[in-house]
Amino acid sequence: MMNKRRKPFKIFISAIAIAGLLISCKETKIKSAKSTANTAMPTIQISDNGHYFQTDDGKPFFWLGDTGWLTFKKLDRASIKKYFEDRKEKGYNVIQIMTLHSLEVANFYGDSALVAKDLSKPLVKEGHNFEDKNAYDYWDHIDYALDIARENGLYLAMVPIWGSAIKSGEVSLAQAKIYANFLGERFKDKDNIIWLNGGDTHGDENTEIWNAIGEILKAKNLKRLITFHPFGRTQSSDNFHAKNWLDFNMFQSGHRRYDQETEGKAYAQDNYKYVREDFNLKPTKPTIDGEPSYEGIPQGLHDTLQPLWQAKDLRRYGYWSVFAGAAGFTYGHSAVMQMYSPEETKGAYGNTKLWTDAINDPGGKQMRFIKELLLKYPYFERIPDETLIANQGEKYDYLAAMRGKEYALIYTYTGRTIAVHMNKIKGDISEASWYNPRNGKTTPIGVFKNKGVLEFKALGKIEDGNDWVLQLISKQ
């Protein structure tokens, strides 16, 4: 009898033990999740030479950005999580987003950002509970996005207010100052924010407002980097390079072909020329192409009958700008930048592809190979050096070249022969190989003397998009 009574008692004790173990495991997971969420993101700083970024522990930070401009406006929480997880997996570390697309903007849940479209009156509800519609607002949604980005090691480069809203004349200087102070206070403890002042706008228009926003945001937290996202084919350095609030430069090379260029500096597709200008300015500051042609958008932007920009074009923009001395590169896709979803009947610029499909387009997958290539070599010593090239060309035949103390990298977009002044490379001999920007694989060529001019013929036939990087590594 005693044994019979003890058996269910033991089972009962076992059930309690198991339940306790499950609770303990659950608590451990919660603590672990909180611990992960509370782990500080590295602070991004300017490198000692002024040209590049590094983290606060001195490691290189290669800016690999994506334009998810309408994330806050159009994505729900589950979609934000899906998008950020995808971009982390594909090697991105920065997402460029509009905090406010317009003065009347509301998010996926119908929460308006402002009271009566007044920039000085952010609409803030009491509490932060997502389950309670009366305690979750537009700004809570941004907090959520920042936290999910943090979990995925992503920095959000946030445009405070898109330039068109300022250009329209609907915002006064006083309103802009109040709003900038709100942003600075609201997000001062978020360590994965970078500020992109401006937003597809001319720096010589409404300059007083842009300076005020920049100065206030910088004063609120000196550790948050700030730049200015300018209009197509212009540079932040045109108007703000000497401003103390501007930590690094950004330019928008835009979406036009050579034969479509009608304004600006007429650099058109030669985005390396913007980098070249910024690289030589004093004081020295990093620079980035923050908006080149988007994959899947019409060439020239507005005529939907034009051919679409492709992955090969984005690779070209990436390698051209980075080899010219840029601190990174921002990719973009027509469907992703506007977060085109099934509920929409018409996409901007003729887009019909869903963003959930577009995140897997080839260009978006191939951008990581730029970052991976650069991080293989001593990062901070890299400098642009076209004197390596003995047969420089123009337009698509242009050869982008850079080097460090014991290596040189030369990019050809068309796969044409590269003639190299070998005496520019340190040491007696160099080991040569081809790096494939489409898949990140390396093909050895051989070992060569560092004398005279040598020609290297890329693999495959000469054509647009048969791009390769010649790697030359000095062997003492």
Side-chain angles (χ1 to χ4, degrees):
M1 292 293 292
M2 292 295 291
N3 289 338
K4 288 181 180 178
R5 288 176 181 174
R6 283 174 183 167
K7 189 172 183 180
F9 182 72
K10 287 181 179 179
I11 292 173
F12 178 68
I13 293 296
S14 298
I16 292 175
I18 291 171
L21 181 61
L22 290 173
I23 291 171
S24 177
C25 289
K26 185 176 181 182
E27 287 178 347
T28 300
K29 287 181 179 178
I30 291 172
K31 288 178 181 178
S32 176
K34 287 182 178 178
S35 176
T36 300
N38 291 329
T39 302
M41 287 280 282
T43 300
I44 305 174
Q45 303 173 339
I46 308 301
S47 63
D48 290 341
N49 65 14
H51 289 299
Y52 310 119
F53 299 121
Q54 66 180 39
T55 52
D56 47 9
D57 57 0
K59 294 179 181 178
F61 182 86
F62 182 93
W63 172 302
L64 186 58
D66 185 31
T67 48
W69 291 127
L70 297 182
T71 296
F72 295 157
K73 175 184 179 182
K74 298 177 72 172
L75 298 191
D76 63 7
R77 287 158 65 107
S79 296
I80 287 174
K81 192 170 187 294
K82 175 184 176 68
Y83 173 49
F84 288 171
E85 287 176 349
D86 175 86
R87 268 15 199 171
K88 174 189 177 182
E89 191 276 330
K90 290 183 171 69
Y92 294 89
N93 50 22
V94 179
I95 308 295
Q96 296 177 194
I97 297 180
M98 302 178 193
T99 304
L100 297 186
H101 174 238
S102 63
L103 297 176
E104 63 267 18
V105 68
N107 65 20
F108 177 88
Y109 301 104
D111 299 312
S112 296
L114 306 172
V115 176
K117 298 191 296 183
D118 186 337
L119 190 64
S120 66
K121 298 178 180 179
L123 180 52
V124 179
K125 298 178 182 178
E126 190 73 26
H128 308 284
N129 183 7
F130 173 65
E131 302 301 329
D132 182 356
K133 66 179 182 180
N134 295 314
Y136 188 81
D137 58 38
Y138 187 93
W139 307 100
D140 291 325
H141 198 52
I142 294 179
D143 286 335
Y144 171 82
L146 281 161
D147 289 344
I148 296 300
R150 205 167 184 273
E151 290 176 12
N152 288 281
L154 298 173
Y155 296 83
L156 299 190
M158 294 165 48
V159 178
I161 174 73
W162 201 242
S164 54
I166 302 298
K167 188 174 182 178
S168 67
E170 299 175 82
V171 176
S172 68
L173 177 61
Q175 289 173 314
K177 287 181 176 180
I178 293 172
Y179 174 64
N181 273 290
F182 164 78
L183 291 180
E185 284 296 323
R186 173 86 188 202
F187 300 113
K188 66 181 178 182
D189 295 327
K190 298 292 185 181
D191 57 7
N192 59 331
I193 287 181
I194 300 165
W195 291 114
L196 303 192
N197 199 4
D200 195 37
T201 191
H202 291 282
D204 58 356
E205 298 175 357
N206 306 112
T207 307
E208 190 177 21
I209 288 179
W210 300 126
N211 276 324
I213 292 174
E215 289 165 2
I216 291 170
L217 291 176
K218 174 55 70 174
K220 289 294 182 180
N221 196 319
L222 295 174
K223 292 183 179 180
R224 303 291 172 264
L225 296 182
I226 306 180
T227 188
F228 183 87
H229 177 274
F231 192 73
R233 296 159 305 285
T234 66
Q235 299 159 263
S236 61
S237 58
D238 291 339
N239 304 102
F240 303 108
H241 182 77
K243 297 298 180 181
N244 291 331
W245 60 262
L246 188 118
D247 297 301
F248 66 100
N249 281 306
M250 180 171 281
F251 61 93
Q252 181 185 166
S253 59
H255 309 275
R256 294 181 180 178
R257 295 192 308 262
Y258 289 112
D259 62 321
Q260 294 172 325
E261 187 56 75
T262 59
E263 59 180 314
K265 297 180 179 178
Y267 290 167
Q269 297 176 67
D270 293 343
N271 70 339
Y272 60 89
K273 293 180 179 178
Y274 296 99
V275 180
R276 186 186 293 165
E277 280 194 16
D278 285 347
F279 195 88
N280 294 314
L281 291 175
K282 299 297 179 185
T284 304
K285 295 183 178 183
T287 191
I288 289 174
D289 190 345
E291 189 174 336
S293 303
Y294 294 139
E295 186 172 10
I297 211 164
Q299 296 179 11
L301 199 60
H302 300 290
D303 183 356
T304 58
L305 298 180
Q306 291 292 323
L308 304 181
W309 292 111
Q310 301 175 39
K312 62 183 181 182
D313 301 299
L314 272 296
R315 295 196 305 271
R316 172 170 46 81
Y317 280 119
Y319 286 90
W320 274 4
S321 60
V322 169
F323 281 26
F329 179 69
T330 297
Y331 163 84
H333 191 291
S334 180
V336 178
M337 68 92 178
Q338 60 185 287
M339 294 300 172
Y340 186 72
S341 63
E343 297 78 21
E344 298 179 76
T345 57
K346 185 178 181 181
Y349 309 108
N351 178 73
T352 59
K353 179 172 283 192
L354 300 178
W355 75 264
T356 49
D357 294 328
I359 55 176
N360 291 311
D361 273 9
K365 294 179 178 179
Q366 293 163 355
M367 294 301 105
R368 69 182 310 152
F369 301 132
I370 304 176
K371 183 175 77 169
E372 291 174 3
L373 174 64
L374 269 290
L375 294 178
K376 283 170 52 178
Y377 296 95
Y379 187 79
F380 298 115
E381 67 184 45
R382 66 183 177 98
I383 58 171
D385 188 0
E386 290 188 29
T387 66
L388 286 160
I389 308 300
N391 62 333
Q392 187 57 279
E394 296 180 346
K395 295 186 176 179
Y396 292 155
D397 284 333
Y398 173 75
L399 300 173
M402 58 165 286
R403 63 173 174 83
K405 294 178 181 177
E406 297 183 356
Y407 69 92
L409 303 175
I410 304 170
Y411 173 81
T412 169
Y413 171 63
T414 62
R416 74 183 184 93
T417 296
I418 301 175
V420 183
H421 288 291
M422 298 298 291
N423 62 346
K424 297 284 184 179
I425 302 170
K426 185 177 181 180
D428 296 327
I429 59 174
S430 287
E431 184 178 82
S433 61
W434 291 111
Y435 182 81
N436 189 335
R438 296 170 293 287
N439 59 23
K441 295 181 179 179
T442 294
T443 302
I445 302 172
V447 177
F448 302 87
K449 291 183 178 180
N450 292 335
K451 293 183 179 181
V453 174
L454 291 183
E455 293 186 345
F456 297 87
K457 174 64 179 74
L459 306 175
K461 63 180 180 180
I462 299 175
E463 63 180 356
D464 295 347
N466 181 35
D467 51 341
W468 295 89
V469 175
L470 175 64
Q471 302 178 102
L472 297 168
I473 303 175
S474 175
K475 297 296 180 181
Q476 296 294 329

